[in-house]
Amino acid sequence: MHWSDEAAERLGLRGGSQVIETGTSISGIPHIGNASDVIRGDCVRRSCQDAGVDARLIWVSDDMDPFRKVPAGMESLKDYLGFPVKDIPDPKGCHSSFVDHFANPFIEDLKEFGVEPKIYSATELYRSGAFKDEVVLAFEGRKNILEILNRFRKEPLPDDFVPWTPICQKCGKISTTTVTGLDGTMVSYECVDKEVAGGDTKGCGYVGVQDALKGFGKFPWRVEWAAKWHHFKVTCEPFGKDHAAAGGSYDTSKIISEEVFNWPAPIPVAYEFFTLNGAKISSSKGNVITLSDWLKIAEPEVLRYFMFKKLNKARDINLRMLPNLVDEFDQIERMHFGKESGDVESKRMYQLSQVQEPKYLNIPYTFCAVLGQVSEEQDYESRARWNGYDGFDTKRLKNRAKLAGNWVEKYGPDYLRFTLKTAEEVKAEYLKLDSRIQTCLTQLVDALESVKDPSIYHKKIYETARANNVDPPELFTAIYKTLIGKEKGPKAAMFLMSLGEEYLKQAYK
Ligand SMILES: [Zn+2]
Ligand SMILES: [Zn+2]
């Protein structure tokens, strides 16, 4: 059974309406790692739907979090360190805030992946008083919360701990305030110098009192998580392995949820993080791609498929090796369409990875990358048929050729990136070749009249070389040298076949 169908089954047993919560802290460009819990959460929603379980997906922008680190290229924002991210202006001036500048395109891109959660902003929830029940419950139960948090801490919190972080009413920072007292829901605090990851933040020295019900402040993270579960009646929560560790935030928030808010904790869907090009995804180190970057090089279904594979396995997205991932996806596509035998789980994975009604393509990504460089769009279909592909959706072919073309330019290996010479130019080179090699090339063009399969044609290249006393590598080099002026190129059989008979007849005869 697929993990998401398993989660849906557990949710069905839990009963009632299901709420799957996801969220992202907006401290810079949300990347595909941030997208993974939303896309996976939506997969659970879809499984619920298929199982007849009522479910909805929500996404909370964690925009009350303090601004801890200035993203690369936005040094103008360094004075905002320590402010709630929601209160930072858009450095580019095109949106109403820093958060919108990054969150809006992320939400738009998610739609392309078939994911449309109900959107909330943590700041708006706090400021509209949506959490007022939770504030009262958390303050009444603060001794209990203190005891629960201390169970998992090396250094215990002080006895007068208040589960609230105010925003300073004078300077607007959230990471500089220290609570000094509590009376009902009135929190006293002072604004002092504090250290944050991105550097020190200066407190303004203000001493004040604020009503937590007005929402100019927030719960500490583990309390906030539980408060959101209670507020939205969350029943399922996907999250990365770091929260799942023993004594980690899920364990703590679960107890707070059950003991303080009297809400049974959501069913966890924990997953292992994936890496990008062999390293941790990191905006500050530049090892990052966004959903919209992905949409320029591959279909959304391929990334969905990648995310829907086994959750508890560390995996890497290597952009240079992207064709291998697409090949894997094409294999489950063949299974789905009954062109290849396959197991139930693979077929289910294919179904879940679809954004729309599936259409068959099964034309390799690498072939598409070549196609875009050797022919005009209107010839793609006939070239593909000539290479033995059949029953495919032409619109998908055109789209994949465009995507693979973008990929080649940005991430592809050198041998796949080339400029094809004109037939006349090739002919001029051909005439300079040794006559044995000329014969080989002409025979290979003739062979295309009967051979329609690249793997058979591949063997044919070797046979032709040997029959004419030519070393096969010598023939391959001649092919690449004449066509693209390079020592190496795409797989020769597929490459020659993609060029079309007319071109080859002019070139090699
Ligand atoms: Zn903007
Ligand atoms: Zn202040």
Side-chain angles (χ1 to χ4, degrees):
M1 209 180 196
H2 190 262
W3 58 262
S4 117
D5 292 328
E6 249 167 39
E9 193 176 79
R10 289 180 66 191
L11 291 170
L13 292 173
R14 180 171 166 139
S17 283
Q18 306 303 318
V19 178
I20 303 149
E21 193 212 12
T22 60
T24 310
S25 189
I26 312 291
S27 50
I29 309 170
H31 48 67
I32 54 170
N34 299 124
S36 76
D37 86 326
V38 201
I39 294 179
R40 284 166 171 153
D42 190 59
C43 189
V44 176
R45 184 200 58 79
R46 204 185 276 194
S47 285
C48 283
Q49 192 182 321
D50 292 349
V53 175
D54 176 51
R56 67 188 190 111
L57 178 73
I58 66 170
W59 179 79
V60 183
S61 162
D62 289 323
D63 52 13
M64 186 71 110
D65 293 358
F67 187 45
R68 292 193 182 92
K69 213 168 175 195
V70 179
M74 295 199 164
E75 284 66 26
S76 66
L77 295 178
K78 69 176 183 346
D79 292 342
Y80 287 96
L81 282 175
F83 279 77
V85 285
K86 184 71 182 174
D87 293 335
I88 305 174
D90 179 359
K92 307 282 177 202
C94 39
H95 295 84
S96 62
S97 69
F98 169 86
V99 166
D100 287 355
H101 181 79
F102 292 116
N104 292 4
F106 179 64
I107 292 161
E108 282 306 306
D109 288 340
L110 278 171
K111 287 184 192 160
E112 299 292 318
F113 287 81
V115 178
E116 297 192 53
K118 174 93 173 115
I119 311 283
Y120 295 94
S121 143
T123 307
E124 281 164 26
L125 290 165
Y126 278 111
R127 292 182 188 173
S128 68
F131 288 142
K132 67 177 190 311
D133 291 349
E134 289 77 17
V135 168
V136 172
L137 286 170
F139 286 4
E140 280 172 5
R142 70 189 170 110
K143 291 283 173 218
N144 196 2
I145 291 178
L146 171 70
E147 188 273 314
I148 296 164
L149 292 174
N150 277 345
R151 269 188 234 169
F152 301 101
R153 290 175 66 94
K154 277 201 195 93
E155 212 175 294
L157 293 160
D159 281 350
D160 57 355
F161 168 78
V162 175
W164 190 254
T165 312
I167 296 172
C168 173
Q169 283 145 289
K170 186 156 178 243
C171 70
K173 287 180 192 165
I174 190 168
S175 58
T176 50
T177 54
T178 296
V179 175
T180 52
L182 180 70
D183 181 6
T185 57
M186 301 304 286
V187 181
S188 346
Y189 66 94
E190 55 188 19
C191 184
V192 296
D193 294 351
K194 288 254 179 89
E195 205 180 296
V196 296
D200 291 345
T201 42
K202 285 257 170 257
C204 70
Y206 184 74
V207 174
V209 182
Q210 66 166 244
D211 186 353
L213 292 181
K214 301 237 164 82
F216 283 87
K218 74 189 284 292
F219 292 120
W221 158 240
R222 293 174 192 217
V223 180
E224 180 177 84
W225 214 13
K228 286 195 287 184
W229 293 344
H230 177 254
H231 174 73
F232 289 110
K233 305 287 172 269
V234 175
T235 59
C236 177
E237 178 91 32
F239 51 82
K241 267 283 179 66
D242 56 339
H243 294 312
S249 22
Y250 178 75
D251 276 1
T252 323
S253 300
K254 179 177 194 285
I255 304 173
I256 297 174
S257 181
E258 293 172 350
E259 292 188 10
V260 179
F261 296 120
N262 196 23
W263 175 252
I267 290 172
V269 175
Y271 52 81
E272 191 72 61
F273 288 109
F274 54 83
T275 50
L276 178 67
N277 304 321
K280 191 173 176 251
I281 300 181
S282 155
S283 319
S284 53
K285 295 208 173 89
N287 190 39
V288 70
I289 63 164
T290 63
L291 291 180
S292 65
D293 293 334
W294 179 273
L295 290 170
K296 288 184 194 110
I297 55 171
E299 295 144 316
E301 290 83 359
V302 177
L303 185 62
R304 287 176 64 99
Y305 159 69
F306 176 83
M307 287 180 178
F308 296 167
K309 294 207 280 188
K310 283 201 172 34
L311 291 183
N312 48 10
K313 192 167 177 280
R315 237 178 281 117
D316 184 51
I317 293 193
N318 186 327
L319 293 176
R320 215 179 127 79
M321 310 289 276
L322 188 60
N324 296 352
L325 179 64
V326 183
D327 287 350
E328 257 181 53
F329 174 80
D330 286 352
Q331 189 184 17
I332 61 166
E333 178 165 296
R334 290 194 295 277
M335 292 174 184
H336 171 85
F337 283 95
K339 313 268 182 185
E340 187 176 320
S341 65
D343 53 296
V344 178
E345 197 180 339
S346 300
K347 290 181 190 170
R348 179 64 177 149
M349 192 111 79
Y350 182 76
Q351 254 178 19
L352 289 169
S353 65
Q354 294 306 302
V355 175
Q356 285 159 353
E357 198 52 41
K359 294 201 170 91
Y360 188 69
L361 176 61
N362 194 43
I363 300 181
Y365 188 79
T366 322
F367 176 76
C368 291
V370 171
L371 202 55
Q373 296 176 82
V374 301
S375 67
E376 299 297 328
E377 197 185 80
Q378 69 262 24
D379 299 328
Y380 290 172
E381 188 180 343
S382 57
R383 294 287 172 93
R385 287 194 196 291
W386 210 58
N387 271 256
Y389 298 112
D390 209 359
F392 54 84
D393 181 71
T394 310
K395 213 170 135 199
R396 271 195 71 195
L397 169 63
K398 287 180 180 167
N399 184 44
R400 189 179 273 190
K402 188 177 83 196
L403 299 169
N406 293 339
W407 169 80
V408 156
E409 246 175 64
K410 200 151 182 210
Y411 307 104
D414 273 346
Y415 71 88
L416 273 182
R417 209 179 302 132
F418 55 84
T419 309
L420 183 69
K421 295 186 181 182
T422 64
E424 293 73 37
E425 287 169 337
V426 182
K427 182 67 183 253
E429 292 298 319
Y430 164 85
L431 292 172
K432 292 183 206 156
L433 294 169
D434 180 299
S435 65
R436 289 169 308 131
I437 297 177
Q438 285 183 352
T439 312
C440 286
L441 293 170
T442 308
Q443 286 176 357
L444 282 176
V445 176
D446 293 339
L448 284 173
E449 290 195 13
S450 52
V451 182
K452 294 291 174 221
D453 178 328
S455 59
I456 297 174
Y457 194 55
H458 177 74
K459 288 187 194 124
K460 191 81 194 165
I461 299 178
Y462 281 90
E463 285 165 19
T464 311
R466 289 191 197 106
N468 290 289
N469 270 326
V470 172
D471 222 12
E474 210 184 334
L475 179 55
F476 284 112
T477 308
I479 292 171
Y480 297 128
K481 276 276 182 199
T482 51
L483 293 170
I484 56 177
K486 293 171 102 171
E487 294 281 337
K488 276 171 87 180
K491 280 191 184 126
M494 177 264 282
F495 188 32
L496 288 175
M497 290 179 76
S498 73
L499 297 174
E501 207 165 8
E502 200 186 324
Y503 174 93
L504 289 174
K505 275 183 175 160
Q506 284 176 37
Y508 288 154
K509 275 197 156 184

